[in-house]
Amino acid sequence: METQEIERILKDALGLEEVYVQGENAHFGVIVIDDEIAGLSRLKQQQTIYAPLMQYFSSGEIHALSIKTFTQEKWKRERLLNPIN
């Protein structure tokens, strides 16, 4: 599965404007920038982000997914400290 496909699925399903996916060989990391999702408990964040991807877990296209969430404000600070190349 391609990282761009995961990004598209999450953007479409969750109405996200900003999401980044890295990884390969069915192991991926997701960064979601969304005030609403970042405000949820960690369990609810995982449930929300996993839900549109469940069929890909079932098929084995995604085996592992790490999740980081940021509010818009925290993401601005993170980007200043750790720019994405």
Side-chain angles (χ1 to χ4, degrees):
M1 179 161 223
E2 297 293 324
T3 56
Q4 299 90 340
E5 186 176 358
I6 296 171
E7 288 177 6
R8 182 192 55 76
I9 291 165
L10 292 174
K11 283 180 177 181
D12 291 350
L14 302 176
L16 300 173
E17 289 187 30
E18 205 169 0
V19 60
Y20 302 97
V21 180
Q22 295 178 323
E24 60 187 10
N25 299 328
H27 293 79
F28 298 96
V30 174
I31 298 173
V32 173
I33 298 87
D34 185 85
D35 291 345
E36 187 175 326
I37 292 175
L40 299 172
S41 71
R42 181 145 342 252
L43 176 62
K44 287 291 186 191
Q45 289 175 9
Q46 289 179 348
Q47 290 172 335
T48 301
I49 294 165
Y50 273 57
L53 300 172
M54 287 310 296
Q55 73 184 60
Y56 304 101
F57 281 100
S58 298
S59 71
E61 292 177 80
I62 299 175
H63 174 72
L65 184 71
S66 66
I67 299 169
K68 291 183 180 181
T69 60
F70 294 89
T71 62
Q72 292 289 336
E73 188 61 36
K74 285 185 180 178
W75 181 243
K76 286 178 191 173
R77 281 183 279 172
E78 178 73 16
R79 291 292 299 270
L80 288 174
L81 296 173
N82 301 302
I84 292 180
N85 296 328

